[in-house]
């Protein structure tokens, strides 16, 4: 009696996909979203499943109705963290360019990921407020200076910079592509790619 070889299992090591949440925190106009989309394109080109959870889009849909009090900001970050962990636990690389100004909120998201066994990488896009206010992608710094808005993170509302992020990016000193390459290298080093 002869036997025929079985086809490779669908669960073979080659088909294993590691998900992760990559949280890019920093001031408004620091470059978080730009770096996230640059990296997302590169990861997709390499065949990874990728989602970008943009802070503005989340506020418009998932967190509509929340304001900018400390409690509402915490709730917003926890909602984003929940969705990110859910996607990452299913093999998606989730890029989260969200300010998340409070250290305890970010730490709660990290702990949730740890408890679920899901990789979490914290990246501080450490662009100085002086550079961010010149970039002023959304006109927020100009509106704050004109007295049209208040509670701008890093100006008249607190921003607690990470003390020990997995990576600190000085976006004012390099191109977007270079910043994304640094993050790609970190993910490779951590065995997430």
């Amino acid at each position: 009696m002869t036997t025929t070889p079985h086809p490779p299992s669908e669960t073979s090591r080659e088909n294993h996909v590691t998900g992760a949440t990559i949280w890019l925190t920093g001031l408004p106009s620091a470059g978080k979203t730009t770096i996230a989309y640059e990296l997302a394109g590169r990861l997709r080109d390499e065949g990874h499943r990728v989602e970008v959870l943009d802070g503005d889009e989340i506020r418009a849909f998932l967190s509509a109705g929340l304001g900018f009090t400390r409690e509402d900001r915490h709730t917003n970050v926890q909602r984003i963290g929940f969705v990110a962990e859910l996607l990452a636990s299913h093999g998606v690389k989730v890029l989260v360019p969200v300010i998340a100004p409070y250290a305890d909120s970010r730490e709660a998201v990290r702990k949730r990921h740890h408890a679920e066994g899901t990789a979490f990488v914290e990246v501080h896009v450490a662009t100085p407020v002086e550079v961010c206010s010149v970039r002023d992608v959304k006109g927020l710094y100009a509106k704050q200076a004109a007295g049209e808005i208040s509670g701008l993170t890093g100006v008249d509302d607190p921003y607690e910079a990470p003390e020990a992020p997995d990576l600190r990016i000085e976006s004012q000193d390099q191109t977007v592509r270079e910043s994304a390459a640094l993050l790609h290298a970190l993910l490779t080093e951590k065995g997430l790619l």
Side-chain angles (χ1 to χ4, degrees):
M1 176 179 215
T2 60
T3 60
T4 56
H6 294 286
S9 166
E10 285 299 313
T11 59
S12 66
R13 191 174 193 281
E14 293 77 29
N15 292 325
H16 177 74
V17 179
T18 302
T21 294
I22 301 100
W23 198 292
L24 294 91
T25 179
L27 297 174
S29 295
K32 301 177 299 297
T33 302
T34 305
I35 294 167
Y37 278 107
E38 176 71 24
L39 180 61
R42 180 172 177 180
L43 293 175
R44 284 188 186 107
D45 288 348
E46 294 172 356
H48 298 280
R49 295 171 57 209
V50 180
E51 288 296 333
V52 177
L53 299 183
D54 180 87
D56 292 335
E57 292 174 1
I58 295 291
R59 276 215 171 255
F61 298 101
L62 186 62
S63 293
L66 289 180
F68 291 91
T69 64
R70 185 180 181 104
E71 294 77 19
D72 281 358
R73 288 177 190 251
H74 179 76
T75 299
N76 183 50
V77 168
Q78 297 316 298
R79 288 178 181 175
I80 297 168
F82 173 80
V83 173
E85 195 283 323
L86 186 65
L87 288 168
S89 72
H90 287 88
V92 179
K93 304 290 187 292
V94 186
L95 302 172
V96 186
V98 173
I99 296 170
Y102 301 112
D104 60 343
S105 295
R106 295 189 306 266
E107 183 58 23
V109 171
R110 179 188 296 275
K111 284 181 178 175
R112 175 179 178 73
H113 278 70
H114 181 72
E116 297 296 326
T118 306
F120 180 86
V121 177
E122 183 179 53
V123 179
H124 181 206
V125 183
T127 312
V129 68
E130 300 79 22
V131 175
C132 295
S133 65
V134 171
R135 289 179 181 172
D136 205 9
V137 178
K138 299 173 193 166
L140 297 175
Y141 292 92
K143 288 179 181 176
Q144 192 276 336
E148 297 173 24
I149 63 169
S150 63
L152 181 59
T153 302
V155 178
D156 60 353
D157 210 55
Y159 176 72
E160 299 170 357
E163 292 181 11
D166 296 291
L167 178 65
R168 195 176 311 278
I169 294 175
E170 310 280 347
S171 74
Q172 73 280 7
D173 296 333
Q174 58 201 17
T175 67
V176 172
R177 183 170 286 181
E178 288 169 338
S179 295
L182 279 176
L183 185 43
H184 188 279
L186 176 70
L187 297 177
T188 301
E189 177 185 312
K190 288 184 168 289
L192 298 173
L193 295 181

